[in-house]
Amino acid sequence: MNDAVSAAERAAQLRQQLEYHNHRYYVLDEPEIPDSEYDRLYRELQDIERAFPQLVDPSSPTQRVGGAPLAEFDEVEHALPMLSLDNALSGEALVDFDRRVRERLARDGDVVYAAEPKLDGLAISLRYEDGVLVQAATRGDGTRGENVTQNVRTIGAVPLRLLGSGWPSVLEVRGEIFMPRAGFESLNARQREAGEKTFANPRNAAAGSLRQLDPKITASRPLSMFCYGLGLVEGGQMAATHGENMAVLRDWGLPVSPELRVLQGLAACNGYFDDIGRRRDRLAYDIDGVVFKVDSIADQQSLGFVARAPRWAIARKFPAQEELTLVEAIEFQVGRTGAVTPVARLQPVFVGGVTVSNATLHNMDEIERKDIRVGDTVIVRRAGDVIPEVVRALTDRRPADAQQVALPSQCPVCGSDVVRPAGEAVARCSGGLFCAAQRREAIKHFASRKAMDIEGLGDKLIDQLVERGMVDDPSALFGLQADALAGLERMGPKSADNLVAALAAARKTTLPRFLFALGILGIGETMAENVARTLRSLDAVMALRLVDLVEIKPSQAGKLVDALAALGRPELRTEQLTAVEGLKWFTSVHALMLAERFKTVGEVVEAGPAAVANSPRLKIDGVGDVLAGKLVTFFRQSHNREVIARLLDSGVTWPPMAQPEAHARSPLTGKTVVITGTLSRPRDDFKRQLTELGAKVTGSVSNKTDYVLAGAEAGSKLARAQALGVEVIDEQRLQALIDGSG
Ligand code: 9MJ
C-alpha cells in the first residue's frame, strides 16, 4: 500500500467523522466532541489534501468555503416551481381552509395535517445528486431563481453529502434559510464595531448575507436552515406523508424543525397555533406564523394548486409584531417609585393584535442611543405581552423640524427636582411622598407588614382612601376616624373599629421599621436596620451630612482641586458639578458633599486640597456613596421633613435603640470628655461622634474629666487639665482609642 492509498483511506475516514460531528453540532445541536477536537480532525484532513491535491473533492468538509467571488449570480430554472403560501389572517380563515379541503377531498371526518412554525427567512431549493449537494437556488419568482450554491455550501447546517443511504438519485429539498436571533445580535454588534451598516431584522440580515458575491463573507454570517418540503425526486421513492418525508430527510442529516407535528383535525391545529404563539419569544429564531399542510401526499396531489400556491397548505400568521407609525410627542411619566420614564405618544397603529398609541422609550440613554425625535417615523414593536417599544427611527424619513427632547428638570406631576445620579440610567422625581404619582404606593409600603405593619389596611382599602382624598400622606392614616372608615366599601362598623385599633397599635414601632417605612430609595429593611443601629436616633439620621459618610482621599483632593482650577469657572455652584473631566470617581454625590462646605468652585480651589480631603467619621454597613447620597437627599427635602414631623405629631414613637454591643465595649463608653482648641473638623462633629460612642461631652475640666481633646491654640482648659493631671489627647490619639488600638 503506497502513501497515496493510505492517505485516501484516512481522508475518507476523516470526512465521514467530520460530517458526523458537523451534523451533531449544526443540525442536532448536540455536539459530542469539543471544538478543539473537531478543529484537529479538520486540520489533519486539510494537511492530507494539501499533500495530495488529487484527493480534494468538492464535497469534502474542507471545501465549504471555496471559489472566488462571483461577478453576479447565474439564473437557475427550477425543475418544479417553488410554491408560495396562502395566508390565513384569522381563526375563521383557517376554518374556511379546513372546510374547503374537506369538501374537495369529500371527507366527512378530520383531515390529518402536518404543522410547523413559519420561518421568516429566504426560501431555497437544494439539489442533491447521488447524495451530494450540487446546487442551491433562491426561490426568485418561483420559476427562476439565483444560483447561490457557493454561499449555501458555507452554511454548517446544510450537508454537502447526505448521511445514511437509499437517497433518490435526484433529490430536491426545499426549505428556509434564516439567521437565529442570537447570531443576528452578534452580527449587528460586530457590524457596529466595524462601522459597517447594521441590519434591521434577522430576515434582512439573512437575505443580505446570502446575496453576497464573495462566499467568504457569507461564511462569516451565522445562517441556518430548516427543510420543509420536496421538489423534484427521481430515481427513488419517498414516503406517503409529509410527516414521514420530513423524518426521512432528518435521517439523511438534513435540518428539519423539531417543532414539526402531525395533527388530527382543526381543533388540534388551533391548539398547536396557540401553543407556538405562547412559546414564540422563547424560540431561537423569528417566526411569523404556523404552516399547516395536508399530511397525505396523495391528498396533496388531488388538491393541486391555484396560481403559485398549493390548495393543501396555508400559513396562519401571527399578528405583525412591528409596524411603522409617527411619534406625535414624547412625554415623561412618573412611576410609583418616582422613576421618570419617557413615553412616545404615537399615531395609533395596529400591531401585535392591538391598537398601540403609546410606547416606552425606557430612559434618556435609550432615546439618545436610538436618536428618536418628535416627528420621526418609527418602528414600534409589540411582542407577546410585553409593553410596546420603539425599535428605531427611520432617519431618512425625518422631517427637518423633528424635535429632540430633553429630560425635564422638574417632575411633571409634582414639580419637585428630577435627579439622575451619575452612572444611573433612570431619572427620578425627588418629591417622594409629596408627589401624587408616588403617594399611593408610598402609603401601601408604609402600611405593609415589614414597615409599620398596620393590620387590616390592605391595598384595596388604601386605593379607596387615596381616591376619596381621605389620605394624602402616611401621617393622615393616624387621623382616620371609625365613622368615616365605616362608609367605605367592604367596611362595617366592626372592621372600622378594628382598623382604628390597629392604627393605634402601629404607632408604637421601632426606629428601623420607621426608617424602612419612609420608603427612601435603596433603603430596604437591612439598610434601615444598619442606619438605625449606627445612628441610634431619628435626630442623628436627620442631621446626617455627606461629609459624615463620603471619603475624598488626599490624593483625590489634590487632583480635584487641580481639575477645578483648570475648569476656569470659579462662580459655578458646587452642587452643579455632576462630573469632573478626567476624574472617574467623582459623582454627583461628591458634588453634594462639597456643597455642604463650599458654595462655589472658586471656594473649593481657594481652600486647597487639605481642606477638600475628607475622612468620614461614620461607616454604615452597606451604605456606600450612592446610598449615602439618597439618604441625605431624602432628609434634606422639606416636604419629607414635614411628613416626618406630622407622623411624630400623630404619636408615632419607638423605644430607644439598645446600646450596640461593640460600643458597650468601646474604651470611651462612660468617659467624660472636654473638647478645646481648633480641630480639623467642627467641634460638633466630634461631640456627636463621642456621644455615639457612649461618652459624655462637657464644657469644663474637673477632676471627673477623663480626657481633654485638645486642638491647636488650646488655652485655659488645657492648662487646667495639666494642673489637675487629666489626660490630654489629640485627634490621632482619639482615633487610636476609638479603633481600640490605644
Ligand atoms: C416556512 N416559511 O417556514 C413552507 N414554510 O410549504 C414552511 N414555508 C412552504 N413551509 C410550501 N414551513 C410552500 C412553502
Side-chain angles (χ1 to χ4, degrees):
M1 196 164 60
N2 63 32
D3 280 359
V5 173
S6 60
E9 278 171 7
R10 179 63 185 150
Q13 202 177 33
L14 285 166
R15 282 175 192 150
Q16 205 177 12
Q17 285 176 2
L18 284 163
E19 273 156 14
Y20 171 81
H21 291 299
N22 195 68
H23 179 248
R24 297 219 49 120
Y25 185 91
Y26 286 105
V27 179
L28 303 182
D29 203 12
E30 280 170 12
E32 222 173 64
I33 56 171
D35 293 357
S36 56
E37 178 61 12
Y38 183 91
D39 292 345
R40 202 192 58 71
L41 296 171
Y42 189 91
R43 276 194 306 271
E44 189 186 342
L45 179 59
Q46 261 183 332
D47 290 345
I48 294 175
E49 290 176 345
R50 224 172 271 136
F52 301 96
Q54 71 273 24
L55 295 181
V56 176
D57 176 314
S59 68
S60 169
T62 59
Q63 304 303 303
R64 280 191 178 267
V65 192
L70 301 171
E72 57 176 2
F73 297 112
D74 289 339
E75 202 179 77
V76 172
E77 187 163 341
H78 299 298
L80 289 177
M82 284 185 78
L83 304 175
S84 58
L85 289 169
D86 273 341
N87 289 328
L89 297 173
S90 66
E92 294 92 83
L94 192 63
V95 174
D96 291 344
F97 166 78
D98 177 59
R99 186 174 9 83
R100 285 195 305 270
V101 166
R102 282 185 292 112
E103 279 169 7
R104 284 189 176 267
L105 294 176
R107 193 75 45 85
D108 273 343
D110 284 341
V111 173
V112 176
Y113 293 103
E116 57 213 16
K118 183 169 185 301
L119 290 154
D120 198 10
L122 280 98
I124 201 95
S125 183
L126 308 178
R127 184 178 168 101
Y128 287 87
E129 292 179 4
D130 298 319
V132 174
L133 177 69
V134 296
Q135 189 180 75
T138 61
R139 179 174 178 282
D141 65 4
T143 311
R144 282 164 221 282
E146 285 176 323
N147 185 337
V148 289
T149 313
Q150 283 218 77
N151 289 344
V152 171
R153 290 171 55 89
T154 69
I155 300 172
V158 175
L160 297 182
R161 189 183 270 284
L162 297 179
L163 302 181
S165 60
W167 341 284
S169 50
V170 174
L171 173 68
E172 278 187 11
V173 180
R174 269 99 194 249
E176 200 88 353
I177 289 187
F178 63 93
M179 191 176 288
R181 275 197 288 265
F184 166 72
E185 298 297 341
S186 59
L187 169 61
N188 262 358
R190 230 161 61 205
Q191 294 283 104
R192 218 173 282 126
E193 257 162 45
E196 306 267 341
K197 92 173 177 83
T198 56
F199 296 96
N201 53 51
R203 204 204 105 81
N204 289 3
S209 300
L210 195 67
R211 297 203 71 267
Q212 293 290 333
L213 291 167
D214 182 354
K216 289 197 176 57
I217 298 180
T218 310
S220 73
R221 303 288 174 80
L223 294 173
S224 193
M225 179 176 184
F226 280 138
C227 300
Y228 53 64
L230 297 173
L232 184 68
V233 176
E234 280 177 357
Q237 273 286 304
M238 292 299 285
T241 66
H242 179 75
E244 287 166 324
N245 279 336
M246 294 304 107
V248 169
L249 295 186
R250 199 179 270 144
D251 287 344
W252 289 339
L254 287 156
V256 173
S257 172
E259 304 293 342
L260 175 79
R261 297 288 180 277
V262 175
L263 307 166
Q264 184 138 0
L266 182 67
C269 291
N270 282 324
Y272 179 89
F273 179 77
D274 293 342
D275 175 57
I276 293 286
R278 274 190 296 273
R279 294 194 292 116
R280 177 183 187 186
D281 292 339
R282 296 197 291 277
L283 296 177
Y285 39 85
D286 279 359
I287 60 172
D288 59 357
V290 166
V291 183
F292 297 103
K293 295 174 180 170
V294 171
D295 193 40
S296 154
I297 304 294
D299 285 348
Q300 287 186 4
Q301 276 159 358
S302 76
L303 286 161
F305 49 92
V306 265
R308 287 266 142 68
R311 286 208 191 87
W312 43 264
I314 197 154
R316 168 92 161 90
K317 299 281 278 273
F318 296 127
Q321 289 185 313
E322 292 190 353
E323 288 293 347
L324 289 184
T325 191
L326 271 179
V327 176
E328 292 178 336
I330 294 176
E331 289 171 8
F332 290 83
Q333 271 181 355
V334 189
R336 60 195 181 86
T337 62
V340 177
T341 308
V343 177
R345 305 288 176 213
L346 306 169
Q347 205 168 70
V349 62
F350 193 72
V351 53
V354 298
T355 300
V356 167
S357 45
N358 303 304
T360 180
L361 291 164
H362 301 292
N363 55 55
M364 288 310 291
D365 285 349
E366 194 78 354
I367 295 189
E368 275 155 34
R369 194 173 65 73
K370 293 179 176 168
D371 186 21
I372 289 165
R373 307 185 189 182
V374 177
D376 271 342
T377 298
V378 293
I379 298 173
V380 265
R381 178 176 173 82
R382 181 184 177 274
D385 289 331
V386 302
I387 303 166
E389 64 168 351
V390 173
V391 179
R392 66 190 180 93
L394 303 187
T395 43
D396 49 346
R397 297 209 200 169
R398 172 171 290 162
D401 61 351
Q403 285 290 311
Q404 278 177 288
V405 289
L407 182 70
S409 53
Q410 256 65 48
C411 170
V413 175
C414 73
S416 300
D417 288 349
V418 169
V419 290
R420 184 179 172 194
E424 282 187 27
V426 178
R428 283 179 204 277
C429 162
S430 60
L433 294 178
F434 177 73
C435 179
Q438 299 170 64
R439 190 176 287 159
R440 183 185 302 234
E441 292 307 317
I443 294 169
K444 288 179 184 172
H445 171 76
F446 182 82
S448 65
R449 200 171 50 77
K450 290 178 172 174
M452 298 296 281
D453 193 18
I454 305 173
E455 212 170 305
L457 186 58
D459 289 359
K460 292 252 163 56
L461 201 51
I462 293 173
D463 287 339
Q464 284 191 69
L465 292 169
V466 173
E467 272 153 27
R468 295 180 189 213
M470 291 166 71
V471 169
D472 57 7
D473 81 46
S475 66
L477 291 171
F478 296 112
L480 290 171
Q481 304 291 321
D483 48 355
L485 287 170
L488 297 172
E489 280 167 41
R490 282 194 288 258
M491 259 294 188
K494 183 90 187 81
S495 38
D497 282 342
N498 287 344
L499 183 54
V500 170
L503 282 162
R507 281 192 186 95
K508 290 195 177 49
T509 184
T510 66
L511 180 56
R513 276 182 179 272
F514 183 76
L515 292 176
F516 176 58
L518 292 175
I520 306 162
L521 265 184
I523 305 292
E525 258 187 295
T526 309
M527 288 306 157
E529 178 78 38
N530 293 350
V531 171
R533 229 181 330 97
T534 307
L535 297 173
R536 308 203 9 254
S537 77
L538 181 62
D539 285 343
V541 177
M542 292 180 73
L544 202 60
R545 301 186 330 146
L546 286 168
V547 286
D548 300 330
L549 290 167
V550 177
E551 178 174 24
I552 296 185
K553 297 191 188 93
S555 60
Q556 292 177 314
K559 292 197 181 105
L560 177 59
V561 170
D562 288 348
L564 294 182
L567 205 58
R569 295 186 57 195
E571 76 301 335
L572 188 68
R573 300 186 63 78
T574 36
E575 70 261 24
Q576 287 173 313
L577 279 173
T578 45
V580 177
E581 182 84 33
L583 302 183
K584 276 213 194 96
W585 57 268
F586 190 93
T587 66
S588 53
V589 174
H590 297 97
L592 288 176
M593 178 177 78
L594 285 181
E596 289 173 344
R597 293 175 294 164
F598 311 99
K599 262 207 283 306
T600 63
V601 166
E603 282 180 30
V604 179
V605 174
E606 199 162 308
V612 169
N614 185 52
S615 58
R617 65 180 182 91
L618 288 174
K619 173 86 191 87
I620 305 177
D621 277 351
V623 177
D625 291 356
V626 172
L627 220 46
K630 289 177 176 168
L631 198 59
V632 171
T633 308
F634 181 89
F635 289 103
R636 206 171 280 172
Q637 316 251 343
S638 58
H639 43 260
N640 290 336
R641 300 180 79 97
E642 284 160 20
V643 171
I644 291 169
R646 283 200 292 277
L647 284 166
L648 298 179
D649 278 350
S650 61
V652 174
T653 58
W654 51 86
M657 291 292 290
Q659 191 82 21
E661 278 289 300
H663 292 165
R665 279 185 270 106
S666 151
L668 287 153
T669 306
K671 302 287 188 205
T672 303
V673 184
V674 172
I675 305 175
T676 183
T678 309
L679 298 162
S680 68
R681 288 182 271 134
R683 263 191 213 176
D684 271 356
D685 276 4
F686 285 95
K687 188 171 172 183
R688 201 164 16 186
Q689 187 177 11
L690 287 163
T691 310
E692 275 158 16
L693 291 167
K696 195 164 129 195
V697 178
T698 61
S700 59
V701 182
S702 71
N703 49 16
K704 289 199 188 112
T705 308
D706 293 294
Y707 300 110
V708 170
L709 171 62
E713 280 147 20
S716 63
K717 287 180 190 171
L718 174 60
R720 188 165 160 73
Q722 282 161 344
L724 290 172
V726 173
E727 189 174 346
V728 177
I729 59 173
D730 60 11
E731 283 183 43
Q732 273 182 340
R733 172 90 184 115
L734 174 68
Q735 196 58 50
L737 284 172
I738 294 168
D739 292 343
S741 54

